[in-house]
Amino acid sequence: MPSSQVAVLAGLGSWLPPRVVGNEEIAQRLDTSDEWIRSRTGIAERRVVDPGTSTVDLAVEAGRRALTSAGETEADAVVLATSTADQLCPASAPQVATKLGLNGVAAFDVNAVCSGFVYGLATGAGLIAAGVARRVLVIGADAFTSLVDPEDRGTVPIFGDGAGAVLLRAGDPDELGALGPFDLHSEGELAELLWVEAGGAKNRRSDDPRDHYLVMQGQTVFRHACARMAESARAVVGAAGWAVGDIDRFIGHQANIRILQTCAKQLGLAEDVMYSNIEKVGNTSAASIPIALADAAKEGALQPGHRVVMGAFGAGLTWGSTLLRWPDVIPG
Ligand code: COA
């Protein structure tokens, strides 16, 4: 394979579980209100999995739609970005691949929490550039509400469940849809700002059930999210030889509408360049960006040739960006 092969976005799909949980339903059982949630986050409702539905189920639905969108039935590898794998061990990607009929292909999870999809794209692009695979299905899927303490008004309103996926194929750097460059970062010293303390190898079982749920220092996370997403967008745009003003559409991680607005201000971007679907889905973690891509494409907010930046931020801390000129894809 020629060394100039890059990853090209060839298919796109998303899937949301059917159960809608509106702000009023949350306000009936926690000390909060529709007004507070809307004004502080921009979220009106989110989707939540029913018992028995898992991350693998969400990922399979989105993955199938991305394959159909690309007109493909095969892929050489499945990269699943998630921090809510069905089991602590093994990874969920092999189960997703099998359920999609992709028997025997390379399949593994990438865990960079809410930045996972951009990390997954970089991984998929790397497999293609190295000649390991010609078609990589990159899925971002999270049943993130499984990590949320049902009694915590600080996190319950924010998170939702869902999945989105793209099929990457080997192609030419000049094509519409060619991905890259990438800008990826982490800061492990700040892990405690947003984490689930127990359940892993360090503290398998805690007597305090709250240790098994997500704990978040919201305001500090907010500040880091704005600054890091803006910084990374500048870096990736510079590496591509674009100017910030060239960006037609910024598809950022949907964590909070005010984070996207602040990020736009920091970048000097018009607010309408920032796409947002957070009102309907909340923060779906690794699924956030591909669901936003699919919604934006369906609404006509992404047009072939548009210069698009994807910007992510998440627990870890992790953050990163990539970009592409939008291809002619019809999302499934
Ligand atoms: N309903 C009503 N009041 C609430 C509330 C809720 N759901 N959650 C918190 N409050 C209260 C707080 O207790 C506080 O009360 P006090 O002033 O009496 O102490 C007040 O509202 C303000 O809290 P604060 O935390 O300062 O609000 P905020 O404007 O920072 O908004 C978040 C809180 C969580 C929405 C915001 O910090 C945020 O979005 N942070 C980033 C989170 C994120 O993106 N995480 C994922 C990253 S991938």
PDB file of all heavy atoms in Angstrom, residues 31-33 36-37 40-41 114 153-155 157-159 194 216-223 225 253 255-256 258-259 283 313-315, ligand 1:
ATOM      1  N   ASP A  31     -33.744  17.798  43.522  1.00  0.00           N
ATOM      2  CA  ASP A  31     -33.927  19.211  43.823  1.00  0.00           C
ATOM      3  C   ASP A  31     -33.319  20.057  42.692  1.00  0.00           C
ATOM      4  O   ASP A  31     -32.222  20.599  42.816  1.00  0.00           O
ATOM      5  CB  ASP A  31     -33.240  19.526  45.167  1.00  0.00           C
ATOM      6  CG  ASP A  31     -33.445  20.972  45.559  1.00  0.00           C
ATOM      7  OD1 ASP A  31     -34.317  21.639  44.953  1.00  0.00           O
ATOM      8  OD2 ASP A  31     -32.708  21.431  46.462  1.00  0.00           O
ATOM      9  N   THR A  32     -34.069  20.118  41.576  1.00  0.00           N
ATOM     10  CA  THR A  32     -33.622  20.913  40.423  1.00  0.00           C
ATOM     11  C   THR A  32     -34.857  21.348  39.643  1.00  0.00           C
ATOM     12  O   THR A  32     -35.979  21.075  40.066  1.00  0.00           O
ATOM     13  CB  THR A  32     -32.645  20.106  39.543  1.00  0.00           C
ATOM     14  OG1 THR A  32     -32.122  20.972  38.537  1.00  0.00           O
ATOM     15  CG2 THR A  32     -33.298  18.892  38.885  1.00  0.00           C
ATOM     16  N   SER A  33     -34.641  22.054  38.535  1.00  0.00           N
ATOM     17  CA  SER A  33     -35.796  22.525  37.757  1.00  0.00           C
ATOM     18  C   SER A  33     -35.424  22.545  36.278  1.00  0.00           C
ATOM     19  O   SER A  33     -34.235  22.620  35.922  1.00  0.00           O
ATOM     20  CB  SER A  33     -36.180  23.940  38.189  1.00  0.00           C
ATOM     21  OG  SER A  33     -35.111  24.820  37.891  1.00  0.00           O
ATOM     22  N   TRP A  36     -33.410  25.679  35.600  1.00  0.00           N
ATOM     23  CA  TRP A  36     -31.991  25.628  35.988  1.00  0.00           C
ATOM     24  C   TRP A  36     -31.201  24.816  34.963  1.00  0.00           C
ATOM     25  O   TRP A  36     -30.150  25.250  34.492  1.00  0.00           O
ATOM     26  CB  TRP A  36     -31.814  25.008  37.385  1.00  0.00           C
ATOM     27  CG  TRP A  36     -30.413  25.203  37.937  1.00  0.00           C
ATOM     28  CD1 TRP A  36     -30.007  26.201  38.783  1.00  0.00           C
ATOM     29  CD2 TRP A  36     -29.251  24.411  37.656  1.00  0.00           C
ATOM     30  NE1 TRP A  36     -28.656  26.082  39.043  1.00  0.00           N
ATOM     31  CE2 TRP A  36     -28.166  24.989  38.356  1.00  0.00           C
ATOM     32  CE3 TRP A  36     -29.006  23.295  36.875  1.00  0.00           C
ATOM     33  CZ2 TRP A  36     -26.869  24.485  38.322  1.00  0.00           C
ATOM     34  CZ3 TRP A  36     -27.697  22.777  36.821  1.00  0.00           C
ATOM     35  CH2 TRP A  36     -26.654  23.365  37.543  1.00  0.00           C
ATOM     36  N   ILE A  37     -31.730  23.656  34.608  1.00  0.00           N
ATOM     37  CA  ILE A  37     -30.964  22.775  33.712  1.00  0.00           C
ATOM     38  C   ILE A  37     -30.793  23.435  32.341  1.00  0.00           C
ATOM     39  O   ILE A  37     -29.688  23.473  31.784  1.00  0.00           O
ATOM     40  CB  ILE A  37     -31.649  21.389  33.569  1.00  0.00           C
ATOM     41  CG1 ILE A  37     -31.744  20.695  34.937  1.00  0.00           C
ATOM     42  CG2 ILE A  37     -30.874  20.509  32.594  1.00  0.00           C
ATOM     43  CD1 ILE A  37     -32.637  19.450  34.948  1.00  0.00           C
ATOM     44  N   ARG A  40     -28.373  26.580  32.620  1.00  0.00           N
ATOM     45  CA  ARG A  40     -26.970  26.304  32.966  1.00  0.00           C
ATOM     46  C   ARG A  40     -26.287  25.351  32.006  1.00  0.00           C
ATOM     47  O   ARG A  40     -25.061  25.291  31.963  1.00  0.00           O
ATOM     48  CB  ARG A  40     -26.852  25.696  34.374  1.00  0.00           C
ATOM     49  CG  ARG A  40     -27.545  26.473  35.466  1.00  0.00           C
ATOM     50  CD  ARG A  40     -27.016  27.865  35.580  1.00  0.00           C
ATOM     51  NE  ARG A  40     -25.892  27.974  36.506  1.00  0.00           N
ATOM     52  CZ  ARG A  40     -25.450  29.118  37.005  1.00  0.00           C
ATOM     53  NH1 ARG A  40     -26.017  30.258  36.665  1.00  0.00           N
ATOM     54  NH2 ARG A  40     -24.431  29.131  37.836  1.00  0.00           N
ATOM     55  N   THR A  41     -27.084  24.569  31.218  1.00  0.00           N
ATOM     56  CA  THR A  41     -26.453  23.558  30.356  1.00  0.00           C
ATOM     57  C   THR A  41     -26.934  23.590  28.907  1.00  0.00           C
ATOM     58  O   THR A  41     -26.253  23.068  28.031  1.00  0.00           O
ATOM     59  CB  THR A  41     -26.735  22.124  30.883  1.00  0.00           C
ATOM     60  OG1 THR A  41     -28.119  21.830  30.695  1.00  0.00           O
ATOM     61  CG2 THR A  41     -26.377  21.971  32.342  1.00  0.00           C
ATOM     62  N   CYS A 114     -14.839  11.184  27.153  1.00  0.00           N
ATOM     63  CA  CYS A 114     -15.569  12.013  26.183  1.00  0.00           C
ATOM     64  C   CYS A 114     -14.708  12.410  24.975  1.00  0.00           C
ATOM     65  O   CYS A 114     -15.243  12.891  23.975  1.00  0.00           O
ATOM     66  CB  CYS A 114     -16.133  13.258  26.860  1.00  0.00           C
ATOM     67  SG  CYS A 114     -17.339  12.872  28.135  1.00  0.00           S
ATOM     68  N   ARG A 153     -27.747  15.566  41.740  1.00  0.00           N
ATOM     69  CA  ARG A 153     -28.349  16.555  40.832  1.00  0.00           C
ATOM     70  C   ARG A 153     -27.273  17.264  39.994  1.00  0.00           C
ATOM     71  O   ARG A 153     -27.585  17.953  39.019  1.00  0.00           O
ATOM     72  CB  ARG A 153     -29.167  17.581  41.609  1.00  0.00           C
ATOM     73  CG  ARG A 153     -28.339  18.539  42.429  1.00  0.00           C
ATOM     74  CD  ARG A 153     -29.201  19.614  43.042  1.00  0.00           C
ATOM     75  NE  ARG A 153     -28.375  20.555  43.800  1.00  0.00           N
ATOM     76  CZ  ARG A 153     -28.799  21.690  44.298  1.00  0.00           C
ATOM     77  NH1 ARG A 153     -30.072  22.021  44.145  1.00  0.00           N
ATOM     78  NH2 ARG A 153     -27.991  22.482  44.947  1.00  0.00           N
ATOM     79  N   GLY A 154     -26.019  17.128  40.397  1.00  0.00           N
ATOM     80  CA  GLY A 154     -24.931  17.767  39.648  1.00  0.00           C
ATOM     81  C   GLY A 154     -24.592  17.035  38.350  1.00  0.00           C
ATOM     82  O   GLY A 154     -24.015  17.631  37.431  1.00  0.00           O
ATOM     83  N   THR A 155     -24.906  15.735  38.278  1.00  0.00           N
ATOM     84  CA  THR A 155     -24.538  14.980  37.067  1.00  0.00           C
ATOM     85  C   THR A 155     -25.743  14.382  36.327  1.00  0.00           C
ATOM     86  O   THR A 155     -25.699  14.267  35.101  1.00  0.00           O
ATOM     87  CB  THR A 155     -23.550  13.836  37.407  1.00  0.00           C
ATOM     88  OG1 THR A 155     -24.072  13.076  38.508  1.00  0.00           O
ATOM     89  CG2 THR A 155     -22.174  14.374  37.774  1.00  0.00           C
ATOM     90  N   PRO A 157     -28.623  15.555  35.354  1.00  0.00           N
ATOM     91  CA  PRO A 157     -29.206  16.310  34.234  1.00  0.00           C
ATOM     92  C   PRO A 157     -28.309  16.374  33.006  1.00  0.00           C
ATOM     93  O   PRO A 157     -28.784  16.666  31.908  1.00  0.00           O
ATOM     94  CB  PRO A 157     -29.376  17.730  34.816  1.00  0.00           C
ATOM     95  CG  PRO A 157     -29.274  17.586  36.290  1.00  0.00           C
ATOM     96  CD  PRO A 157     -28.389  16.405  36.531  1.00  0.00           C
ATOM     97  N   ILE A 158     -27.022  16.114  33.190  1.00  0.00           N
ATOM     98  CA  ILE A 158     -26.063  16.392  32.114  1.00  0.00           C
ATOM     99  C   ILE A 158     -25.940  15.250  31.115  1.00  0.00           C
ATOM    100  O   ILE A 158     -25.833  15.481  29.913  1.00  0.00           O
ATOM    101  CB  ILE A 158     -24.674  16.700  32.744  1.00  0.00           C
ATOM    102  CG1 ILE A 158     -24.764  18.029  33.488  1.00  0.00           C
ATOM    103  CG2 ILE A 158     -23.584  16.733  31.687  1.00  0.00           C
ATOM    104  CD1 ILE A 158     -23.504  18.399  34.215  1.00  0.00           C
ATOM    105  N   PHE A 159     -25.949  14.015  31.627  1.00  0.00           N
ATOM    106  CA  PHE A 159     -25.533  12.905  30.767  1.00  0.00           C
ATOM    107  C   PHE A 159     -26.699  12.147  30.145  1.00  0.00           C
ATOM    108  O   PHE A 159     -27.783  12.045  30.727  1.00  0.00           O
ATOM    109  CB  PHE A 159     -24.637  11.944  31.560  1.00  0.00           C
ATOM    110  CG  PHE A 159     -23.324  12.576  31.946  1.00  0.00           C
ATOM    111  CD1 PHE A 159     -23.132  13.106  33.218  1.00  0.00           C
ATOM    112  CD2 PHE A 159     -22.292  12.679  31.020  1.00  0.00           C
ATOM    113  CE1 PHE A 159     -21.935  13.720  33.572  1.00  0.00           C
ATOM    114  CE2 PHE A 159     -21.094  13.286  31.353  1.00  0.00           C
ATOM    115  CZ  PHE A 159     -20.912  13.814  32.643  1.00  0.00           C
ATOM    116  N   LEU A 194     -12.890  14.386  37.548  1.00  0.00           N
ATOM    117  CA  LEU A 194     -14.024  13.747  36.876  1.00  0.00           C
ATOM    118  C   LEU A 194     -13.708  12.262  36.805  1.00  0.00           C
ATOM    119  O   LEU A 194     -12.994  11.829  35.904  1.00  0.00           O
ATOM    120  CB  LEU A 194     -14.100  14.364  35.468  1.00  0.00           C
ATOM    121  CG  LEU A 194     -15.243  14.069  34.529  1.00  0.00           C
ATOM    122  CD1 LEU A 194     -16.562  14.486  35.149  1.00  0.00           C
ATOM    123  CD2 LEU A 194     -15.046  14.835  33.228  1.00  0.00           C
ATOM    124  N   MET A 216     -17.824  14.650  39.922  1.00  0.00           N
ATOM    125  CA  MET A 216     -17.359  15.701  39.001  1.00  0.00           C
ATOM    126  C   MET A 216     -17.234  17.037  39.708  1.00  0.00           C
ATOM    127  O   MET A 216     -18.141  17.448  40.419  1.00  0.00           O
ATOM    128  CB  MET A 216     -18.380  15.830  37.857  1.00  0.00           C
ATOM    129  CG  MET A 216     -18.051  16.889  36.841  1.00  0.00           C
ATOM    130  SD  MET A 216     -19.213  16.861  35.457  1.00  0.00           S
ATOM    131  CE  MET A 216     -20.594  17.746  36.153  1.00  0.00           C
ATOM    132  N   GLN A 217     -16.102  17.697  39.510  1.00  0.00           N
ATOM    133  CA  GLN A 217     -15.957  19.073  39.988  1.00  0.00           C
ATOM    134  C   GLN A 217     -16.296  19.991  38.810  1.00  0.00           C
ATOM    135  O   GLN A 217     -15.427  20.374  38.019  1.00  0.00           O
ATOM    136  CB  GLN A 217     -14.543  19.302  40.501  1.00  0.00           C
ATOM    137  CG  GLN A 217     -14.237  18.453  41.743  1.00  0.00           C
ATOM    138  CD  GLN A 217     -12.833  18.693  42.272  1.00  0.00           C
ATOM    139  OE1 GLN A 217     -12.333  19.820  42.243  1.00  0.00           O
ATOM    140  NE2 GLN A 217     -12.212  17.637  42.756  1.00  0.00           N
ATOM    141  N   GLY A 218     -17.585  20.298  38.719  1.00  0.00           N
ATOM    142  CA  GLY A 218     -18.148  20.902  37.507  1.00  0.00           C
ATOM    143  C   GLY A 218     -17.482  22.183  37.047  1.00  0.00           C
ATOM    144  O   GLY A 218     -17.129  22.313  35.871  1.00  0.00           O
ATOM    145  N   GLN A 219     -17.283  23.126  37.985  1.00  0.00           N
ATOM    146  CA  GLN A 219     -16.772  24.434  37.557  1.00  0.00           C
ATOM    147  C   GLN A 219     -15.360  24.347  37.015  1.00  0.00           C
ATOM    148  O   GLN A 219     -15.011  24.998  36.028  1.00  0.00           O
ATOM    149  CB  GLN A 219     -16.802  25.404  38.734  1.00  0.00           C
ATOM    150  CG  GLN A 219     -18.160  25.994  38.958  1.00  0.00           C
ATOM    151  CD  GLN A 219     -18.103  27.203  39.891  1.00  0.00           C
ATOM    152  OE1 GLN A 219     -17.024  27.715  40.189  1.00  0.00           O
ATOM    153  NE2 GLN A 219     -19.261  27.636  40.337  1.00  0.00           N
ATOM    154  N   THR A 220     -14.509  23.558  37.688  1.00  0.00           N
ATOM    155  CA  THR A 220     -13.118  23.431  37.233  1.00  0.00           C
ATOM    156  C   THR A 220     -13.075  22.725  35.884  1.00  0.00           C
ATOM    157  O   THR A 220     -12.329  23.113  34.975  1.00  0.00           O
ATOM    158  CB  THR A 220     -12.284  22.649  38.276  1.00  0.00           C
ATOM    159  OG1 THR A 220     -12.594  23.162  39.556  1.00  0.00           O
ATOM    160  CG2 THR A 220     -10.813  22.775  38.021  1.00  0.00           C
ATOM    161  N   VAL A 221     -13.899  21.664  35.757  1.00  0.00           N
ATOM    162  CA  VAL A 221     -13.959  20.946  34.478  1.00  0.00           C
ATOM    163  C   VAL A 221     -14.399  21.914  33.378  1.00  0.00           C
ATOM    164  O   VAL A 221     -13.843  21.916  32.266  1.00  0.00           O
ATOM    165  CB  VAL A 221     -14.928  19.746  34.581  1.00  0.00           C
ATOM    166  CG1 VAL A 221     -15.193  19.137  33.209  1.00  0.00           C
ATOM    167  CG2 VAL A 221     -14.370  18.687  35.525  1.00  0.00           C
ATOM    168  N   PHE A 222     -15.372  22.735  33.701  1.00  0.00           N
ATOM    169  CA  PHE A 222     -15.890  23.715  32.727  1.00  0.00           C
ATOM    170  C   PHE A 222     -14.748  24.596  32.189  1.00  0.00           C
ATOM    171  O   PHE A 222     -14.584  24.750  30.978  1.00  0.00           O
ATOM    172  CB  PHE A 222     -16.943  24.587  33.432  1.00  0.00           C
ATOM    173  CG  PHE A 222     -17.721  25.495  32.520  1.00  0.00           C
ATOM    174  CD1 PHE A 222     -19.028  25.204  32.172  1.00  0.00           C
ATOM    175  CD2 PHE A 222     -17.154  26.660  32.019  1.00  0.00           C
ATOM    176  CE1 PHE A 222     -19.754  26.042  31.336  1.00  0.00           C
ATOM    177  CE2 PHE A 222     -17.861  27.508  31.186  1.00  0.00           C
ATOM    178  CZ  PHE A 222     -19.168  27.195  30.842  1.00  0.00           C
ATOM    179  N   ARG A 223     -13.955  25.128  33.094  1.00  0.00           N
ATOM    180  CA  ARG A 223     -12.872  26.044  32.671  1.00  0.00           C
ATOM    181  C   ARG A 223     -11.853  25.332  31.792  1.00  0.00           C
ATOM    182  O   ARG A 223     -11.409  25.852  30.778  1.00  0.00           O
ATOM    183  CB  ARG A 223     -12.188  26.649  33.900  1.00  0.00           C
ATOM    184  CG  ARG A 223     -12.974  27.781  34.534  1.00  0.00           C
ATOM    185  CD  ARG A 223     -12.089  28.601  35.459  1.00  0.00           C
ATOM    186  NE  ARG A 223     -11.565  27.804  36.565  1.00  0.00           N
ATOM    187  CZ  ARG A 223     -12.220  27.558  37.699  1.00  0.00           C
ATOM    188  NH1 ARG A 223     -13.429  28.063  37.867  1.00  0.00           N
ATOM    189  NH2 ARG A 223     -11.674  26.825  38.657  1.00  0.00           N
ATOM    190  N   ALA A 225     -12.350  22.647  29.989  1.00  0.00           N
ATOM    191  CA  ALA A 225     -12.959  22.244  28.718  1.00  0.00           C
ATOM    192  C   ALA A 225     -12.900  23.401  27.710  1.00  0.00           C
ATOM    193  O   ALA A 225     -12.496  23.200  26.554  1.00  0.00           O
ATOM    194  CB  ALA A 225     -14.406  21.801  28.936  1.00  0.00           C
ATOM    195  N   HIS A 253     -17.409  18.562  21.290  1.00  0.00           N
ATOM    196  CA  HIS A 253     -18.037  17.678  22.270  1.00  0.00           C
ATOM    197  C   HIS A 253     -19.177  18.433  22.945  1.00  0.00           C
ATOM    198  O   HIS A 253     -19.000  19.550  23.422  1.00  0.00           O
ATOM    199  CB  HIS A 253     -16.996  17.230  23.292  1.00  0.00           C
ATOM    200  CG  HIS A 253     -17.602  16.498  24.441  1.00  0.00           C
ATOM    201  ND1 HIS A 253     -18.468  15.446  24.261  1.00  0.00           N
ATOM    202  CD2 HIS A 253     -17.477  16.670  25.784  1.00  0.00           C
ATOM    203  CE1 HIS A 253     -18.859  14.995  25.444  1.00  0.00           C
ATOM    204  NE2 HIS A 253     -18.271  15.722  26.386  1.00  0.00           N
ATOM    205  N   ALA A 255     -20.874  19.031  25.792  1.00  0.00           N
ATOM    206  CA  ALA A 255     -20.848  18.887  27.250  1.00  0.00           C
ATOM    207  C   ALA A 255     -21.781  19.892  27.911  1.00  0.00           C
ATOM    208  O   ALA A 255     -22.422  19.583  28.923  1.00  0.00           O
ATOM    209  CB  ALA A 255     -19.428  19.072  27.772  1.00  0.00           C
ATOM    210  N   ASN A 256     -21.820  21.088  27.350  1.00  0.00           N
ATOM    211  CA  ASN A 256     -22.619  22.169  27.928  1.00  0.00           C
ATOM    212  C   ASN A 256     -22.660  23.262  26.872  1.00  0.00           C
ATOM    213  O   ASN A 256     -21.618  23.613  26.313  1.00  0.00           O
ATOM    214  CB  ASN A 256     -21.930  22.674  29.216  1.00  0.00           C
ATOM    215  CG  ASN A 256     -22.737  23.735  29.935  1.00  0.00           C
ATOM    216  OD1 ASN A 256     -23.337  24.608  29.313  1.00  0.00           O
ATOM    217  ND2 ASN A 256     -22.750  23.663  31.258  1.00  0.00           N
ATOM    218  N   ARG A 258     -22.898  26.293  27.169  1.00  0.00           N
ATOM    219  CA  ARG A 258     -22.077  27.456  27.557  1.00  0.00           C
ATOM    220  C   ARG A 258     -20.589  27.188  27.316  1.00  0.00           C
ATOM    221  O   ARG A 258     -19.817  28.121  27.091  1.00  0.00           O
ATOM    222  CB  ARG A 258     -22.344  27.835  29.019  1.00  0.00           C
ATOM    223  CG  ARG A 258     -23.778  28.359  29.243  1.00  0.00           C
ATOM    224  CD  ARG A 258     -23.975  28.864  30.657  1.00  0.00           C
ATOM    225  NE  ARG A 258     -23.842  27.813  31.635  1.00  0.00           N
ATOM    226  CZ  ARG A 258     -23.042  27.854  32.706  1.00  0.00           C
ATOM    227  NH1 ARG A 258     -22.295  28.913  32.958  1.00  0.00           N
ATOM    228  NH2 ARG A 258     -22.993  26.842  33.546  1.00  0.00           N
ATOM    229  N   ILE A 259     -20.175  25.920  27.369  1.00  0.00           N
ATOM    230  CA  ILE A 259     -18.780  25.592  27.037  1.00  0.00           C
ATOM    231  C   ILE A 259     -18.538  25.883  25.550  1.00  0.00           C
ATOM    232  O   ILE A 259     -17.531  26.492  25.171  1.00  0.00           O
ATOM    233  CB  ILE A 259     -18.461  24.111  27.366  1.00  0.00           C
ATOM    234  CG1 ILE A 259     -18.435  23.908  28.887  1.00  0.00           C
ATOM    235  CG2 ILE A 259     -17.126  23.679  26.740  1.00  0.00           C
ATOM    236  CD1 ILE A 259     -18.210  22.468  29.340  1.00  0.00           C
ATOM    237  N   ASN A 283     -25.050  15.195  27.237  1.00  0.00           N
ATOM    238  CA  ASN A 283     -23.662  14.786  27.024  1.00  0.00           C
ATOM    239  C   ASN A 283     -23.625  13.257  26.901  1.00  0.00           C
ATOM    240  O   ASN A 283     -23.850  12.557  27.885  1.00  0.00           O
ATOM    241  CB  ASN A 283     -22.812  15.270  28.202  1.00  0.00           C
ATOM    242  CG  ASN A 283     -21.349  14.869  28.078  1.00  0.00           C
ATOM    243  OD1 ASN A 283     -20.995  13.988  27.297  1.00  0.00           O
ATOM    244  ND2 ASN A 283     -20.504  15.495  28.874  1.00  0.00           N
ATOM    245  N   PHE A 313     -13.181  16.995  24.507  1.00  0.00           N
ATOM    246  CA  PHE A 313     -12.596  17.168  25.843  1.00  0.00           C
ATOM    247  C   PHE A 313     -13.260  16.164  26.765  1.00  0.00           C
ATOM    248  O   PHE A 313     -14.478  15.950  26.673  1.00  0.00           O
ATOM    249  CB  PHE A 313     -12.860  18.589  26.360  1.00  0.00           C
ATOM    250  CG  PHE A 313     -12.364  18.772  27.766  1.00  0.00           C
ATOM    251  CD1 PHE A 313     -11.037  19.115  28.003  1.00  0.00           C
ATOM    252  CD2 PHE A 313     -13.204  18.554  28.858  1.00  0.00           C
ATOM    253  CE1 PHE A 313     -10.558  19.241  29.301  1.00  0.00           C
ATOM    254  CE2 PHE A 313     -12.729  18.682  30.153  1.00  0.00           C
ATOM    255  CZ  PHE A 313     -11.412  19.024  30.378  1.00  0.00           C
ATOM    256  N   GLY A 314     -12.481  15.547  27.663  1.00  0.00           N
ATOM    257  CA  GLY A 314     -13.107  14.591  28.565  1.00  0.00           C
ATOM    258  C   GLY A 314     -12.276  14.267  29.785  1.00  0.00           C
ATOM    259  O   GLY A 314     -11.187  14.823  30.003  1.00  0.00           O
ATOM    260  N   ALA A 315     -12.816  13.342  30.559  1.00  0.00           N
ATOM    261  CA  ALA A 315     -12.141  12.904  31.780  1.00  0.00           C
ATOM    262  C   ALA A 315     -10.789  12.309  31.425  1.00  0.00           C
ATOM    263  O   ALA A 315     -10.540  11.877  30.305  1.00  0.00           O
ATOM    264  CB  ALA A 315     -13.014  11.874  32.502  1.00  0.00           C
TER     265      ALA A 315
HETATM  266  N1  COA B   1     -30.222  22.179  39.962  1.00  0.00           N
HETATM  267  C1  COA B   1     -30.273  23.261  40.717  1.00  0.00           C
HETATM  268  N2  COA B   1     -29.172  23.767  41.340  1.00  0.00           N
HETATM  269  C2  COA B   1     -28.014  23.119  41.121  1.00  0.00           C
HETATM  270  C3  COA B   1     -27.909  21.971  40.345  1.00  0.00           C
HETATM  271  C4  COA B   1     -29.085  21.497  39.739  1.00  0.00           C
HETATM  272  N3  COA B   1     -29.108  20.410  38.938  1.00  0.00           N
HETATM  273  N4  COA B   1     -26.622  21.564  40.322  1.00  0.00           N
HETATM  274  C5  COA B   1     -25.932  22.423  41.082  1.00  0.00           C
HETATM  275  N5  COA B   1     -26.778  23.372  41.572  1.00  0.00           N
HETATM  276  C6  COA B   1     -26.481  24.505  42.426  1.00  0.00           C
HETATM  277  C7  COA B   1     -25.181  24.356  43.163  1.00  0.00           C
HETATM  278  O1  COA B   1     -25.353  23.619  44.355  1.00  0.00           O
HETATM  279  C8  COA B   1     -24.843  25.811  43.421  1.00  0.00           C
HETATM  280  O2  COA B   1     -25.579  26.276  44.529  1.00  0.00           O
HETATM  281  P1  COA B   1     -24.968  27.321  45.560  1.00  0.00           P
HETATM  282  O3  COA B   1     -24.659  28.558  44.736  1.00  0.00           O
HETATM  283  O4  COA B   1     -26.065  27.488  46.545  1.00  0.00           O
HETATM  284  O5  COA B   1     -23.729  26.670  46.098  1.00  0.00           O
HETATM  285  C9  COA B   1     -25.370  26.526  42.182  1.00  0.00           C
HETATM  286  O6  COA B   1     -26.319  25.638  41.580  1.00  0.00           O
HETATM  287  C10 COA B   1     -24.303  26.851  41.163  1.00  0.00           C
HETATM  288  O7  COA B   1     -23.501  25.684  41.001  1.00  0.00           O
HETATM  289  P2  COA B   1     -22.293  25.653  40.033  1.00  0.00           P
HETATM  290  O8  COA B   1     -21.610  24.333  40.138  1.00  0.00           O
HETATM  291  O9  COA B   1     -21.482  26.910  40.234  1.00  0.00           O
HETATM  292  O10 COA B   1     -23.041  25.780  38.638  1.00  0.00           O
HETATM  293  P3  COA B   1     -22.413  25.940  37.223  1.00  0.00           P
HETATM  294  O11 COA B   1     -22.902  27.141  36.566  1.00  0.00           O
HETATM  295  O12 COA B   1     -20.922  25.716  37.240  1.00  0.00           O
HETATM  296  O13 COA B   1     -23.081  24.731  36.457  1.00  0.00           O
HETATM  297  C11 COA B   1     -22.452  22.563  35.691  1.00  0.00           C
HETATM  298  C12 COA B   1     -22.821  23.417  36.880  1.00  0.00           C
HETATM  299  C13 COA B   1     -22.146  21.168  36.143  1.00  0.00           C
HETATM  300  C14 COA B   1     -23.626  22.554  34.719  1.00  0.00           C
HETATM  301  C15 COA B   1     -21.223  23.202  34.986  1.00  0.00           C
HETATM  302  O14 COA B   1     -20.211  23.456  35.928  1.00  0.00           O
HETATM  303  C16 COA B   1     -20.660  22.341  33.914  1.00  0.00           C
HETATM  304  O15 COA B   1     -21.297  22.089  32.906  1.00  0.00           O
HETATM  305  N6  COA B   1     -19.414  21.901  34.084  1.00  0.00           N
HETATM  306  C17 COA B   1     -18.761  21.072  33.103  1.00  0.00           C
HETATM  307  C18 COA B   1     -19.281  19.684  33.232  1.00  0.00           C
HETATM  308  C19 COA B   1     -18.886  18.855  32.084  1.00  0.00           C
HETATM  309  O16 COA B   1     -18.876  19.307  30.974  1.00  0.00           O
HETATM  310  N7  COA B   1     -18.557  17.601  32.354  1.00  0.00           N
HETATM  311  C20 COA B   1     -18.220  16.650  31.359  1.00  0.00           C
HETATM  312  C21 COA B   1     -16.953  17.014  30.707  1.00  0.00           C
HETATM  313  S1  COA B   1     -16.664  15.925  29.417  1.00  0.00           S
END
